[in-house]
């Protein structure tokens, strides 16, 4: 009898094993068949197409076409882009210490890193780069700037620069250095006389956790930390290990930080806090927005689920996917999505289901069960991390939106600083600053129409095809305001926001990114809301189950 049972068991095991073996054989057969067909097509076209085909470009087009059917985070990384991957994983690169961007189709310096050659040798925010070595740069080759500017430390690069208010072009010869990416842009006590520590974390390279630890140690040397604000707004994320390391600074040892699950549900892996927290038993607030993504969402989701922090701001980006970089031949790599991650409560905050090309609404989930924090507060899946307290950062001013979109604050600060390099901008009164800004807009020919003016203009235009009473048309024309009046009226209405933006940009010209950030906090709605909650002892109350 026992022998018969053993035979049946062995038979069943063989059948199950055979099923897996057959399935794997089918998969590998399909893969090999696909490789054969792809290779034949590539070879035949490269050799026999009527026009000459560049084999490398054709191959990359084929790879990118194949990957385009997946999510946007699965990418082929060629030799040029490999350096950008190294920056994320190693946290350093060979360069001049400047950040560039497109402003009116010109390659413009938008930020300088303190202490590196670009800043030391006199480049300024707002300078326009026209040539790098012998290459003229513009919007057409903007995507290759990294290739032109970055290189081995010790090598030199020549720049031809156009500067506002300076007639002649400026020539710079800069030596590339090993630039270390700082994950923490700024930290300090704000307000300075208080005990609320503020840390702006901008990325998650390998050193993020150590930088946060050192910042906390330095702050404690100054005075006691009674409250803590972690700013993750605009942080696009980075390494999973770095997110876990940062989370450990706040969570109790042994608490779950994040779970990662690949294609096979049996491959689920849990990551727990492995050290005692540095910030313990004091209120913590995390600021997030639509630019808070990936590793930033892991941190904010973990702190929210364990009720360790109050989340303030706007819904985060909603990237609940994990990528792995697989090295390939010829200094290329494949960055591929290999898993999904889940917060401690079990929720996925992924916003888009790429397999169905569907945007998931907040609260949507395959798992219909409620997601609860440690204090039994309801939290939501999909659509990013939902703040505990929603505070919109954006102004209600259409004029402000237009000026920001056209870079007018940036241009004004660049122009004003280059015209008055020795000025103490802090001593300029608000009204004087606003008046000078309006004059600058008039000189630039900036035209602004209010919402009502746009409607009136549309009615007047329509009257040419659909005749209106002439008296009504004349009345509409009289009601329509002029651009300068509209600008002055709206600036007066949103005076605090305009002053804040102007002073932040001017501060950036004299104190770099630290100056811009510290100045902007003075009128930052989300930050000021966080400070108000802490000052009024509402933090604990808001984290309790209602």
């Amino acid at each position: 009898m026992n022998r018969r049972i053993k035979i049946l068991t062995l038979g069943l095991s063989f059948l199950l094993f055979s099923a897996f073996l057959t399935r794997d054989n089918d998969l590998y057969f399909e893969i090999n068949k696909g490789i054969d067909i792809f290779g034949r097509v590539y070879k035949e076209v490269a050799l026999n197409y009527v026009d000459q085909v560049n084999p490398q470009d054709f191959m990359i087009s084929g790879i990118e076409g194949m990957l385009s059917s997946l999510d946007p985070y699965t990418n082929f990384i060629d030799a040029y882009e490999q350096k950008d991957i190294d920056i994320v994983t190693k946290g350093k690169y060979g360069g001049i210490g400047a950040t560039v961007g497109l402003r009116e189709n010109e390659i413009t310096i938008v930020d300088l890193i303190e202490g590196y050659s670009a800043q030391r040798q006199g480049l300024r925010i707002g300078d326009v780069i026209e040539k790098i070595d012998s290459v003229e740069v513009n919007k057409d080759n903007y995507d290759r700037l990294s290739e032109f500017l970055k290189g081995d430390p010790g090598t030199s690069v020549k720049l031809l620069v156009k500067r506002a208010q300076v007639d002649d072009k400026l020539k710079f010869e800069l030596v590339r250095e090993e630039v270390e990416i700082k994950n923490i842009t700024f930290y300090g006590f704000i307000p300075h006389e208080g005990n609320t520590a503020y840390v702006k974390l901008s990325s998650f390279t390998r050193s993020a956790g150590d930088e946060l630890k050192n910042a906390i140690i330095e702050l404690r040397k100054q005075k006691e930390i009674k409250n803590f604000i972690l700013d993750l707004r605009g942080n696009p994320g980075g390494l999973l290990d770095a997110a876990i390391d940062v989370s450990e600074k706040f969570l109790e040892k042994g608490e779950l930080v994040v779970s990662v699950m690949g294609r096979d549900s049996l491959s689920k892996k849990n990551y727990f806090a492995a050290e005692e927290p540095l910030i313990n038993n004091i209120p913590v607030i995390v600021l997030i927005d639509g630019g808070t993504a990936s590793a930033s969402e892991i941190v904010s989701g973990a702190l929210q689920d364990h009720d360790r922090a109050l989340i303030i701001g706007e819904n985060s980006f909603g990237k609940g996917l994990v990528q792995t970089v697989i090295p390939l031949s010829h200094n290329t790599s494949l960055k591929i999505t290999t898993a999904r991650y889940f917060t401690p409560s079990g929720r996925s905050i992924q916003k888009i289901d790429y397999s169905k090309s569907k945007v998931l609404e907040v609260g949507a989930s395959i798992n219909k069960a409620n997601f609860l924090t440690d204090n039994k507060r309801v939290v939501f899946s999909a659509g990013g991390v939902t703040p505990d307290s929603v505070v919109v950062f954006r102004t209600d001013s259409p004029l402000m939106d237009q000026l920001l979109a056209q870079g007018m604050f940036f241009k004004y600060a660049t122009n004003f600083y280059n015209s008055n390099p020795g000025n103490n901008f802090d001593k300029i009164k608000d009204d004087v600053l606003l008046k000078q800004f309006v004059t600058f807009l008039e000189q630039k020919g900036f035209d602004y129409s209010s919402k009502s003016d746009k409607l009136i203009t549309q009615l007047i235009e329509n009257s040419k095809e659909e005749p209106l009473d002439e008296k009504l048309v004349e009345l509409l024309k009289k009601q329509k305001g002029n651009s300068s009046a509209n600008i002055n009226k709206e600036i007066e209405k949103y005076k605090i926001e305009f002053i804040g933006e102007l002073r932040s940009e001017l501060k950036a010209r004299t104190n770099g990114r630290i100056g811009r950030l510290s100045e902007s906090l003075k009128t930052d709605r989300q930050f000021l809301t966080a400070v108000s909650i802490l000052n009024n002892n509402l933090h604990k109350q808001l984290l309790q189950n209602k």
Side-chain angles (χ1 to χ4, degrees), residues 280-501:
N280 196 14
N281 298 324
I282 64 170
V284 176
I285 287 180
V286 177
L287 302 178
I288 66 171
D289 63 8
T292 303
S294 187
S296 299
E297 293 174 297
I298 290 176
V299 173
S300 51
L303 270 57
Q304 184 179 50
D305 282 4
H306 288 300
D307 297 300
R308 184 62 194 92
L310 189 71
I311 312 298
I312 290 179
E314 302 170 78
N315 275 35
S316 63
F317 181 80
K319 181 177 180 288
L321 304 173
V322 179
Q323 283 72 46
T324 302
V325 178
I326 301 173
L328 305 176
S329 56
H330 304 291
N331 198 29
T332 62
S333 300
L334 176 65
K335 181 163 69 75
I336 179 173
T337 299
T338 53
R340 293 180 174 86
Y341 73 79
F342 299 86
T343 68
S345 66
R347 57 189 169 131
S348 167
I349 53 83
Q350 177 64 24
K351 186 175 184 178
I352 301 176
D353 183 348
Y354 291 103
S355 65
K356 299 177 182 177
S357 299
K358 179 182 179 182
V359 177
L360 301 176
E361 298 296 329
V362 173
S365 175
I366 296 173
N367 180 2
K368 297 299 181 183
N370 286 333
F371 297 96
L372 302 174
T373 69
D374 291 355
N375 288 344
K376 307 302 180 186
R377 295 186 302 123
V378 176
V379 285
F380 302 103
S381 61
V385 175
T386 304
D388 301 307
S389 179
V390 176
V391 180
V392 179
F393 179 80
R394 297 179 299 275
T395 177
D396 296 325
S397 167
L399 173 61
M400 173 76 83
D401 291 339
Q402 286 188 35
L403 292 172
L404 286 170
Q406 296 184 34
M408 285 300 179
F409 293 102
F410 184 91
K411 294 172 188 174
Y412 169 76
T414 299
N415 183 80
F416 192 51
Y417 176 72
N418 288 333
S419 301
N420 308 275
N423 237 348
N424 184 346
F425 303 117
D426 292 334
K427 293 184 177 180
I428 302 176
K429 294 182 178 179
D430 291 349
D431 290 339
V432 174
L433 194 60
L434 288 173
K435 186 176 180 181
Q436 291 176 340
F437 181 54
V438 171
T439 301
F440 172 79
L441 295 177
E442 291 172 350
Q443 292 171 348
K444 289 293 182 181
F446 179 80
D447 185 40
Y448 173 69
S449 297
S450 65
K451 289 182 179 179
S452 57
D453 279 341
K454 289 178 181 178
L455 290 172
I456 290 172
T457 300
Q458 188 64 49
L459 280 172
I460 294 173
E461 287 296 317
N462 289 346
S463 69
K464 296 176 182 177
E465 297 180 5
E466 302 175 16
L468 295 176
D469 184 85
E470 291 184 6
K471 292 182 179 179
L472 176 59
V473 173
E474 287 301 316
L475 182 62
L476 288 172
K477 289 179 179 180
K478 289 180 181 179
Q479 287 294 320
K480 185 179 177 183
N482 62 64
S483 180
S484 295
N486 288 330
I487 290 173
N488 283 307
K489 184 178 179 180
E490 189 145 352
I491 285 180
E492 184 60 34
K493 182 178 179 181
Y494 298 98
K495 185 175 181 178
I496 294 175
E497 286 92 337
F498 278 88
I499 286 295
E501 196 64 39

Side-chain angles (χ1 to χ4, degrees), residues 120-248:
R120 289 200 317 271
Q121 290 184 231
L123 279 171
R124 296 179 184 175
I125 295 174
D127 285 350
V128 175
I129 302 175
E130 295 190 338
K131 187 181 288 187
I132 301 175
D133 289 328
S134 59
V135 180
E136 292 186 3
V137 292
N138 49 52
K139 65 182 179 64
D140 296 326
N141 56 6
Y142 175 69
D143 58 345
R144 296 186 64 194
L145 279 183
S146 178
E147 173 192 345
F148 302 145
L149 287 173
K150 294 172 184 173
D152 295 329
T155 59
S156 63
V157 58
K158 295 178 181 178
L159 304 183
L160 183 67
V161 169
K162 178 178 68 175
R163 177 171 292 170
Q165 309 305 312
V166 176
D167 294 332
D168 297 329
K169 304 290 175 65
L170 304 175
K171 296 179 180 179
F172 292 85
E173 183 167 355
L174 308 173
V175 177
R176 296 186 180 95
E177 304 169 76
E178 186 174 82
V179 179
E180 186 175 353
I181 300 295
K182 294 294 185 183
N183 295 278
I184 292 180
T185 311
F186 173 79
Y187 66 91
F189 286 97
I190 299 181
H192 299 297
E193 63 275 9
N195 292 86
T196 297
Y198 170 87
V199 173
K200 173 68 175 178
L201 188 63
S202 300
S203 57
F204 281 88
T205 67
R206 200 164 300 284
S207 62
D210 288 336
E211 286 183 44
L212 180 57
K213 177 181 178 180
N214 293 334
I216 292 169
I217 291 172
E218 287 297 317
L219 288 167
R220 281 190 172 142
K221 286 180 181 178
Q222 299 176 32
K223 62 176 109 172
E224 180 187 5
I225 300 175
K226 293 184 179 179
N227 301 303
F228 198 96
I229 297 176
L230 179 64
D231 192 345
L232 295 179
R233 292 174 298 177
N235 187 325
L239 301 178
L240 173 64
D241 290 347
I244 296 167
D245 199 1
V246 168
S247 299
E248 287 178 332

